Amino acid sequence: MSERTPDSAPSRTVLLRGGEVHSPADPFATAMVVEGDRIAWVGEEGAADSFAAGVDEVLHLDGALVTPAFTDAHVHTTATGLALTGLDLAGAATLSDALARIRAYADARPADRILLGHGWDASAWPEGRPPSRAELDAATGGRPLYLTRVDVHSAVVTTALLDLVPGVRGQSGFDAEAPLTGDAHHAVRRAAYATVTPTQRAEAQAAALARAASLGIGSVHECAGPDISGEEDFLDLLALAREGAGPRVVGYWAEAVASAKDAERIRELGAIGAAGDLFVDGSLGSHTAHLHTPYADADHTGAARLDADAVAAHVAACTEAGLQAGFHAIGDAALTSVVDGVRAAAEKVGTDRIRAARHRVEHAEMLTEATIAGFAELALTASVQPAFDAAWGGPDGMYAARLGAERARTLNPYAALLKAGVPIALGSDSPVTPLDPWGTVRAAVFHRTRAHGISARAAFTAHTRGGWRAVGRDDAGVLVPGAPADYAVWRTGELLVQAPDERVERWSTDPRSGTPGLPDLTPGGDLPVCLRTVVAGRTVFERPNE
C-alpha cells in the first residue's frame, strides 16, 4: 500500500492519493499532503502530480477512505486493557455460563493474588440475578475476586476479598446479599487494583491503546480519579502516551477543587481538568443514578453524591483557576443539581467565564427540556455514549425495566441537544461498552427512540471534531490545511450522503450534493475496516498485508 524513497530516512512529507478524503475544504478531494505533524494540502487527483516528486512517501489509497481519526471522549484505559487481557464476562449469556468462565479463569491463573474481572449484566440473564457470594467462593476455590458489573458502578466479590478490606462491612453500599455499591465498592476496588503489578498495568495500558489505534482512534480522554484508578496508574498512562507509539491521551482527574492550590495539584498530575467521573450520582443499571421519582423496579431514588452547592463550589474554583471542570451525572435529579450548581457558579464568577471554560458533563442521560436549556445557556459539553442506548434502550431493555417505558423513552436525547446548540462529544466509557467508533456513530444515528437520532454527519463530527472541541481545541479533528495530521484510512463500501429531510432512511450518492460522503451505516451491514491510523503524522497502526 505504501512506497518509500530508496533511503531509509524517516518520512517527513507524505502524499496520499487515489482515494476519498473526507474534508470540508474540498468535498471532491481524492488526495492529501502531510508535512511533519500537520496537513499541508487537500485536493483532487489532477493536482496531486505537482506534489509527487517532492515528497518522501507516496501512499496509494486504492480507493480507500481517509477521515480524521476518531476521538473517544470517555475511556478508562487500564480497566479496558485488563478486560482485553483478563476475565471479560460481557459475552456470558447466563449466570451458569458466567460461573463456568470464572471457574476456568481462576484455574488458569493460580499465581494471581486477586482475580479481576468485568462485564457481567444480570439484567440480560434468564436467571435475572448476579452470582451470590457463596457461588463466587465456590467458583474461585475461596480466593479473592473482584468482578464489576458492566456499568462499573457495582461489583460482586468473594468473602476472601472482603476479609482483606478492614471495615468494609460497615461502609455505605455494603450488602451481604447483593452487589457492593458506593463507598464499600470503592474500598474493595482500591484493594483489588493495588495488587496489579507495574508490569500488568503497563501491559494492560498498551493493549488498550493498541486496540484503540487499530480502530482508527487517534485520541482518548482518560477519565481517572482517586475512586477509579489511582495517581500511579494515571501518571504511568500519560508517560506511555508521551512515547508517541499510540493514540494521544488527554487526562482528566475526578477530584473536587476548592482552591487555586487544589487546581495546581490537578495540573501537576498532568490532567487538563478536574472532570470526568467526578460523581454526582451512579448508574441506572446499579440503581444508583439519582432520580426525581423512584425507580420502577425499586422503592428509592438512587444515590446523590454531590449536591448543587458542591457542584457550584467546584465549578467556581476551577473557573477562577482557569481549569476545566466536569461531572458524571446520569439521573434527572443529578442533572438538575449540575445545572443549578453551574448556574450558581456563573452568578459568582460570571456567565461568560463559565461558557469560555467549556465545562463538561459525562453521560447526561436523563435530560429534560429544562436541563437541556441549562446546558445550552452555560455552554456545557455533553460527553455521551450512544452505545448505552444500543445496549439498554428500547421497550424491552434495561432502561425500561428500571424506569418504565415512558421515562425510558426520554433518555439520551441527542437530537434535542443538537437543536438547542449544546456541544456534543461521543465516547464509549470503555470497558463499559467496547471501543467501537463506527458502531458508536451508527448507534447515534439509529437511536432506539427514533426522535432522538441524529444525522450521520452530525454524529461523525461529534466523534471526531467534537472530542477536540471538548478539550478547547477548535483547530483539529478535521482534514484541512494547518490541522494536526491525525487521520485514519478505511476500507469501506460506497459513500453516501443522507438526505436532510429523512435523517436515517434516505441516502444519496449524488456528488452534486457538495457534501463529503460517509459509509453506509445501516444496521446489519459491515462497518469500515481500519487500514492505517496516523497521529501527529506518525503511523501508530497499519493493518498487516494491506
Side-chain angles (χ1 to χ4, degrees):
M1 190 176 178
S2 170
E3 63 182 36
R4 294 181 182 270
T5 51
D7 67 272
S8 58
S11 176
R12 293 181 296 106
T13 305
V14 181
L15 168 64
L16 298 85
R17 63 185 307 177
E20 301 282 349
V21 179
H22 186 93
S23 172
D26 185 346
F28 309 105
T30 59
M32 182 170 77
V33 173
V34 173
E35 291 184 352
D37 63 356
R38 296 278 163 175
I39 295 166
W41 172 84
V42 175
E44 298 180 49
E45 189 65 25
D49 289 334
S50 62
F51 294 97
V55 301
D56 300 298
E57 180 182 3
V58 177
L59 186 65
H60 295 288
L61 296 170
D62 299 324
L65 171 67
V66 184
T67 71
F70 286 100
T71 292
D72 192 312
H74 192 120
V75 172
H76 303 286
T77 306
T78 302
T80 296
L82 290 171
L84 290 170
T85 59
L87 174 58
D88 185 359
L89 294 182
T94 66
L95 171 58
S96 58
D97 180 15
L99 289 169
R101 294 181 186 214
I102 294 166
R103 188 175 295 108
Y105 185 79
D107 290 345
R109 302 182 72 90
D112 287 8
R113 287 180 55 201
I114 294 179
L115 300 166
L116 302 173
H118 167 74
W120 59 270
D121 185 359
S123 69
W125 293 344
E127 298 90 345
R129 65 171 181 85
S132 69
R133 193 154 299 140
E135 288 170 330
L136 294 175
D137 288 346
T140 60
R143 296 168 62 192
L145 167 71
Y146 171 72
L147 190 61
T148 49
R149 190 185 181 278
V150 64
D151 58 14
V152 201
H153 283 271
S154 60
V156 290
V157 302
T158 56
T159 303
L161 180 56
L162 291 176
D163 291 343
L164 295 176
V165 187
V168 67
R169 290 174 173 85
Q171 293 189 352
S172 63
F174 178 82
D175 189 318
E177 304 299 331
L180 305 183
T181 61
D183 291 341
H185 176 213
H186 295 155
V188 297
R189 175 160 54 192
R190 283 192 293 270
Y193 282 169
T195 68
V196 175
T197 67
T199 298
Q200 284 178 303
R201 182 165 56 242
E203 289 174 349
Q205 292 173 349
L209 293 181
R211 173 63 65 88
S214 75
L215 296 169
I217 297 171
S219 299
V220 299
H221 296 180
E222 166 67 13
C223 293
D227 289 334
I228 300 159
S229 50
E231 290 187 13
E232 186 176 5
D233 180 280
F234 187 61
L235 294 171
D236 286 351
L237 175 62
L238 296 182
L240 176 63
R242 284 194 294 270
E243 294 176 6
R248 303 172 190 263
V249 175
V250 178
Y252 286 97
W253 186 254
E255 191 167 354
V257 168
S259 65
K261 184 178 179 180
D262 291 343
E264 185 57 31
R265 199 185 79 81
I266 300 291
R267 289 194 180 93
E268 288 173 353
L269 282 174
I272 72 161
D277 280 335
L278 183 54
F279 297 117
V280 179
D281 68 345
S283 75
L284 292 165
S286 293
H287 291 101
T288 52
H290 188 208
L291 314 183
H292 283 303
T293 56
Y295 285 87
D297 60 350
D299 60 354
H300 60 82
T301 57
R305 296 182 63 84
L306 294 177
D307 61 15
D309 289 343
V311 168
H314 178 69
V315 171
C318 285
T319 306
E320 294 278 17
L323 189 68
Q324 194 176 21
F327 306 92
H328 161 121
I330 286 179
D332 51 0
L335 287 161
T336 296
S337 293
V338 168
V339 170
D340 288 350
V342 178
R343 189 175 283 126
E347 293 173 358
K348 178 180 180 182
V349 303
T351 300
D352 289 345
R353 293 180 68 188
I354 292 290
R355 291 177 59 85
R358 304 192 191 193
H359 303 310
R360 54 189 283 173
V361 182
E362 310 302 313
H363 315 310
E365 292 200 84
M366 288 188 72
L367 289 159
T368 64
E369 288 185 8
T371 48
I372 290 172
F375 271 49
E377 169 198 347
L378 302 163
L380 296 174
T381 294
S383 170
V384 297
Q385 297 75 40
F388 287 9
D389 174 73
W392 304 310
D396 301 317
M398 181 270 288
Y399 291 152
R402 293 290 184 270
L403 302 172
E406 183 176 349
R407 274 193 296 178
R409 282 193 295 269
T410 69
L411 264 61
N412 301 302
Y414 305 139
L417 284 167
L418 288 181
K419 184 177 180 180
V422 176
I424 294 179
L426 301 190
S428 64
D429 198 10
S430 181
V432 174
T433 61
L435 299 168
D436 180 14
W438 284 114
T440 296
V441 173
R442 172 187 277 173
V445 176
F446 295 93
H447 199 291
R448 288 180 178 271
T449 302
R450 179 181 173 84
H452 297 333
I454 59 178
S455 72
R457 183 181 180 188
F460 178 78
T461 299
H463 213 353
T464 50
R465 200 169 191 179
W468 284 92
R469 285 173 166 167
V471 299
R473 292 281 301 274
D474 294 328
D475 63 335
V478 61
L479 301 182
V480 297
D486 287 28
Y487 61 90
V489 180
W490 306 91
R491 182 172 64 237
T492 188
E494 187 175 31
L495 303 183
L496 308 173
V497 177
Q498 288 177 307
D501 57 329
E502 296 269 0
R503 274 199 308 271
V504 299
E505 291 180 348
R506 293 188 57 205
W507 302 80
S508 170
T509 58
D510 186 349
R512 292 173 298 177
S513 68
T515 300
L518 286 168
D520 184 353
L521 300 176
T522 304
D526 293 334
L527 293 174
V529 174
C530 185
L531 304 178
R532 178 180 292 215
T533 305
V534 175
V535 175
R538 184 174 181 175
T539 298
V540 298
F541 169 77
E542 188 168 9
R543 184 165 295 278
N545 304 318
E546 294 284 353

